Amino acid sequence: MKLKALKGFKDILPGEVELWQELEEFARVLFAQYNFAEIRVPLLEETALFSRAIGDLTDIVEKEMYTFTDKKQTLRPEGTASVIRAVVENGLLVKKPVQRLFTIGPMFRHERPQKGRLRQFHQLDVEVLGSESALVDVELMSLAALFFKELGINVSLEINSLGCKKCRPSYRDALLTFITEHKEKLCGDCQRRSETNPLRVLDCKVPSCREHIADAPSVQDWLCDECSSHFSLVQKGLQELNIDFSLNKFMVRGLDYYCRTTFEFLTKDLGAQAAVAAGGRYDGLVELLGGAKDTPGIGFAMGMERIILLLLQKDEFALDKGVDFFLAGLGKAAEEKVFTLAWQLRQEGFSVALDYEGRSLKAQMKLADRENAHFAVIVGEEELAGGYGVLRSMKDRDAEQRKIPLTLDAFLELTEELPEE
Ligand code: HAM
């Protein structure tokens, strides 16, 4: 029997892992610039954490969670609930009233897999707990905008406000009235949703539903004064930073904890999976998960698989960086010499590959190609006797070969000719 990875679960192989590392490193530097600290939380939590935070009637909780039913434990489908659980449990908000945290890692959702949609996927997740300021909303969107700009990824930003517990019920009623009037024309899913979670009807992808709900009341017309002024400040802040955005009154998001600002960064380059980052405010969530009353919060998460796919569409993100040197020793004595030399070079920070099987020169040069080496250094008996090797550029085949003394200093002088880390 052939053993295979589960559907929607993917190996990240050598060659691609390097790009993931680069992306993580890039994110860590940017998060530090924005004064975020890393937190690492478990992959497995009590099921109740997610059902309470995300909402019993959401697709995630109803259909997509990986749950050990006998133990009432679930593999996390997202990071926000776990981060808040950890902050509350460890009293972090008591030590510092505003927590700015990020976490990086895998999430699990039993969705139908397709390009850019997996069952185990990875998020870069950013959360700010303890501030109600609209400036924080703007700051988080600016962070994501800068992230994509620096990576050269084209995105558009859509924002909405979902109101708060004060103004949303009356909007919900108005929407429900509208939906009831148009119920027969909506798809089966929407008819069912209209009773449990009417806001989700706005988000239906079925074209005929989209047509019928085009005239549905807009949440933006039902915002209370506080939500309305918060949303104006968010828009003003984005304009001041010259961050382009558009209003999308139909954006409701698939998690129930949101209130006020919600946002999504979308790409046209990934087919159906357009959202590369998404998030919003969740002012009641900390309290709902056992934290102090009225603690505000906001955050977003970026889908790493989708970002990697977008980076791979670019030429400059060649996957295999290769090694600095391939050391080819011909004959026992030369093999021993290059083995020792590899040890010295690696201590200086160079990356080195070599052959251990006594292969011919031709076979070793083939290997050097496969290792994507920048230089090959060939040491035969004659070279060994003279204390030098033959330096061959593997990247510029027209370049002349030259002699290189087998000393550390001589190799250090080549640093400038090697590609940057
Ligand atoms: P979300 O919209 O469910 O939000 O996911 C955020 C991002 O994760 C999506 O925009 C997408 O890029 C990526 N993503 C989601 N599901 C998949 C999947 N099956 N395969 C690949 N990528 C996926 C949240 O998870 C919220 N916790 C975000 C948040 C943080 N809100 C406040 N703080």
Side-chain angles (χ1 to χ4, degrees):
M1 184 182 61
K2 246 196 201 159
L3 294 173
K4 287 167 105 181
L6 296 171
K7 207 169 149 204
F9 288 69
K10 201 169 160 276
D11 300 309
I12 304 172
L13 300 176
E16 199 179 334
V17 166
E18 289 74 6
L19 187 51
W20 282 77
Q21 289 168 338
E22 237 178 87
L23 179 62
E24 282 176 26
E25 179 54 25
F26 168 76
R28 280 175 207 284
V29 171
L30 191 62
F31 293 160
Q33 268 176 272
Y34 272 77
N35 189 29
F36 281 89
E38 182 168 358
I39 182 167
R40 298 188 185 187
V41 288
L43 303 193
L44 194 67
E45 299 268 6
E46 263 186 71
T47 305
L49 172 67
F50 302 116
S51 53
R52 202 186 300 173
I54 300 168
D56 279 326
L57 299 176
T58 57
D59 282 354
I60 297 180
V61 174
E62 269 188 351
K63 306 185 209 156
E64 295 168 3
M65 294 208 302
Y66 283 90
T67 295
F68 299 95
T69 43
D70 55 335
K71 299 193 172 62
K72 297 195 173 68
Q73 293 168 350
T74 294
L75 282 173
R76 62 180 189 193
E78 59 115 41
T80 313
S82 307
V83 169
I84 296 177
R85 198 263 315 127
V87 166
V88 172
E89 185 174 341
N90 294 287
L92 299 191
L93 282 165
V94 181
K95 292 173 196 148
K96 206 163 71 175
V98 177
Q99 288 289 331
R100 299 169 63 89
L101 302 167
F102 76 89
T103 194
I104 303 177
M107 311 290 159
F108 304 85
R109 294 184 196 172
H110 193 265
E111 294 187 82
R112 190 189 294 272
Q114 53 174 257
K115 185 179 165 198
R117 189 161 79 199
L118 287 113
R119 290 180 172 171
Q120 177 180 328
F121 61 98
H122 298 74
Q123 284 184 343
L124 297 160
D125 183 80
V126 176
E127 312 289 351
V128 179
L129 303 174
S131 175
E132 207 179 349
S133 167
L135 287 180
V136 177
D137 306 29
V138 175
E139 190 188 39
L140 285 190
M141 287 184 257
S142 82
L143 164 57
L146 184 58
F147 180 93
F148 292 119
K149 183 171 162 217
E150 292 209 346
L151 289 178
I153 292 177
N154 279 327
V155 285
S156 55
L157 168 61
E158 293 186 357
I159 66 170
N160 194 13
S161 173
L162 295 181
C164 64
K165 55 178 186 258
K166 211 166 98 189
C167 50
R168 196 163 344 147
S170 42
Y171 170 66
R172 195 177 180 275
D173 289 347
L175 181 64
L176 203 52
T177 310
F178 177 88
I179 292 172
T180 314
E181 281 164 15
H182 296 77
K183 201 162 174 181
E184 322 76 78
K185 297 173 211 142
L186 301 177
C187 72
D189 256 0
C190 282
Q191 297 198 0
R192 193 180 51 82
R193 278 189 200 132
S194 65
E195 271 140 44
T196 50
N197 203 348
L199 260 67
R200 290 308 311 269
V201 173
L202 296 178
D203 184 46
C204 181
K205 303 284 179 284
V206 176
S208 59
C209 288
R210 292 192 83 94
E211 221 174 88
H212 287 113
I213 54 163
D215 298 327
S218 162
V219 58
Q220 285 159 29
D221 296 332
W222 291 80
L223 299 180
C224 61
D225 288 349
E226 290 88 344
C227 287
S228 183
S229 98
H230 186 95
F231 198 40
S232 301
L233 285 173
V234 169
Q235 294 177 61
K236 192 163 155 255
L238 288 171
Q239 279 153 359
E240 261 163 35
L241 299 188
N242 280 325
I243 295 173
D244 290 334
F245 65 91
S246 57
L247 298 181
N248 177 358
K249 64 175 184 172
F250 291 135
M251 187 207 300
V252 292
R253 313 273 303 117
L255 305 96
D256 279 356
Y257 49 62
Y258 291 113
C259 64
R260 293 197 167 170
T261 319
T262 53
F263 55 94
E264 289 186 348
F265 284 85
L266 306 167
T267 171
K268 290 198 177 75
D269 302 328
L270 279 184
Q273 303 313 310
V276 281
R281 209 161 247 295
Y282 45 80
D283 290 345
L285 187 58
V286 176
E287 184 179 342
L288 185 70
L289 298 180
K293 197 167 170 347
D294 293 333
T295 309
I298 178 169
F300 71 94
M302 309 196 245
M304 294 182 74
E305 278 76 7
R306 296 183 189 175
I307 296 167
I308 295 278
L309 284 172
L310 291 168
L311 292 176
L312 288 175
Q313 291 175 3
K314 299 168 164 300
D315 293 341
E316 73 257 41
F317 283 93
L319 277 184
D320 185 359
K321 289 265 155 67
V323 291
D324 297 328
F325 296 107
F326 186 94
L327 303 183
L330 302 170
K332 199 102 202 88
E335 263 176 36
E336 278 167 21
K337 176 70 191 171
V338 298
F339 189 74
T340 314
L341 183 60
W343 159 241
Q344 293 168 331
L345 291 175
R346 285 168 175 157
Q347 288 179 85
E348 292 301 323
F350 294 111
S351 51
V352 181
L354 43 152
D355 169 53
Y356 310 89
E357 321 298 334
R359 289 186 171 85
S360 68
L361 176 61
K362 197 169 154 211
Q364 290 205 43
M365 287 307 99
K366 227 177 178 174
L367 262 187
D369 260 338
R370 273 203 209 133
E371 297 292 352
N372 195 10
H374 198 79
F375 287 117
V377 180
I378 302 153
V379 185
E381 268 172 39
E382 194 188 319
E383 288 83 11
L384 188 62
Y388 64 91
V390 173
L391 183 75
R392 179 186 290 183
S393 170
M394 303 300 289
K395 299 293 170 193
D396 178 3
R397 295 301 158 111
D398 297 334
E400 267 197 44
Q401 302 196 133
R402 48 192 156 134
K403 285 183 178 176
I404 175 169
L406 295 175
T407 61
L408 250 190
D409 282 347
F411 279 81
L412 284 169
E413 277 176 29
L414 289 173
T415 306
E416 302 246 303
E417 294 181 46
L418 289 165
E420 276 182 47
E421 287 270 300

